Amino acid sequence: MHAQLSEAPVARIGISLVDGDATARRDRQLMLRAENFDVRSYATGAALIADPLARATACLVVDVDMPGLGGVELVQSLRVSGWRGTAILLRSVDVSDSVARDAERDGDTLLLKTMADRPLLEAIRAALKPRSSRSEAQL
């Protein structure tokens, strides 16, 4: 009798998703789980900050336009506390030039909130590559 070789399970990646719109948050969470990503979702930036596990995530997908603690402020707060991941900022309106410059400087990505799934998945996969690999790919 031959032993069956089982494939190694696909590594699961931690992504934090923050969006005040419950329907959009749930839809994105389901889509990301279908792509085999491990996703923790939060309705507010304050909820993410209150979760000590959130700082271990490599990628943050966040709505820029949330009331209260917005996406940009949330990313800044996390970075001040030592988080070194990559953020994907989802926006429904144009952002200021300074926000765009800061995102580029930090290696973050700005996307329209209404874009299709593929650009978001590509941005997440790029964000999860080691920074040296991302720099080499841009050359």
Side-chain angles (χ1 to χ4, degrees):
M1 184 187 279
H2 297 293
Q4 281 190 327
L5 295 176
S6 63
E7 291 183 29
V10 176
R12 298 188 56 85
I13 307 290
I15 298 170
S16 291
L17 171 65
V18 185
D19 195 321
D21 180 331
T23 301
R25 184 176 65 250
R26 182 72 178 148
D27 289 347
R28 281 203 176 87
Q29 183 177 22
L30 290 172
M31 182 269 299
L32 292 169
R33 284 188 174 161
E35 293 291 325
N36 207 34
F37 290 108
D38 180 27
V39 183
R40 292 180 70 92
S41 68
Y42 306 88
T44 66
L48 178 133
I49 288 172
D51 182 358
L53 297 176
R55 284 177 186 63
T57 190
C59 182
L60 171 64
V61 178
V62 61
D63 181 4
V64 171
D65 306 315
M66 290 185 303
L69 183 64
V72 173
E73 295 83 6
L74 174 60
V75 172
Q76 291 170 342
S77 174
L78 289 171
R79 290 216 165 101
V80 166
S81 71
W83 180 70
R84 298 291 175 245
T86 301
I88 298 170
L89 304 162
L90 303 178
R91 61 184 179 81
S92 56
V93 296
D94 286 334
V95 294
S96 70
D97 289 342
S98 65
V99 169
R101 278 192 307 272
D102 289 349
E104 184 176 335
R105 179 197 67 222
D106 294 333
D108 297 333
T109 301
L110 282 165
L111 293 174
L112 283 173
K113 190 172 182 178
T114 57
M115 62 40 210
D117 293 344
R118 176 169 270 177
L120 177 59
L121 289 170
E122 290 172 359
I124 290 170
R125 288 186 178 108
L128 294 173
K129 289 182 181 177
R131 289 197 186 263
S132 60
S133 297
R134 283 188 270 158
S135 299
E136 292 168 8
Q138 293 173 353
L139 294 178

